[in-house]
Amino acid sequence: VYTLRYDASPARGGKLYAKDCASCHASPADIRLMGNEAGSRRRLVDLSNALIYLRIKRGWHIDRAGHAVAGLSDDQIQDIIAYIRQELR
């Protein structure tokens, strides 16, 4: 249900990614899991959209990316997740 609530757009997500994420993550393939997932064999594509959302909105990003990430709406984060999923296929 969580992933069906909004019609996410990879095109919009790509623009947001370039503006807000690319300074730290050159591409979605460069994203490495940190925290509890760092030692596991799981990859970003193994995580649910809800978990990725939480990692962006409530995780280390708030300390590292600050205002850029804190200012993203829930729908914008869903667009970024759609872009990441498209790029990692």
Side-chain angles (χ1 to χ4, degrees), residues 4-88:
L4 297 175
R5 69 170 200 76
Y6 175 70
D7 186 24
S9 166
R12 287 190 304 258
K15 292 175 187 174
L16 289 165
Y17 188 93
K19 182 172 86 69
D20 297 317
C21 308
S23 62
C24 294
H25 308 289
S27 74
D30 292 334
I31 298 172
R32 300 289 173 247
L33 297 178
M34 306 275 300
N36 294 339
E37 298 294 335
S40 74
R41 293 178 186 241
R42 289 174 49 166
R43 300 167 299 148
L44 186 61
V45 297
D46 298 329
L47 303 181
S48 70
N49 286 1
L51 187 53
I52 295 172
Y53 168 84
L54 287 173
R55 293 178 75 85
I56 293 171
K57 193 69 172 180
R58 304 281 182 238
W60 290 36
H61 284 93
I62 298 302
D63 294 333
R64 292 182 170 179
H67 299 293
V69 173
L72 292 173
S73 71
D74 292 347
D75 292 340
Q76 289 174 318
I77 292 174
Q78 290 305 315
D79 289 337
I80 292 171
I81 292 170
Y83 169 73
I84 290 170
R85 294 260 184 236
Q86 175 183 293
E87 292 298 303
L88 293 178

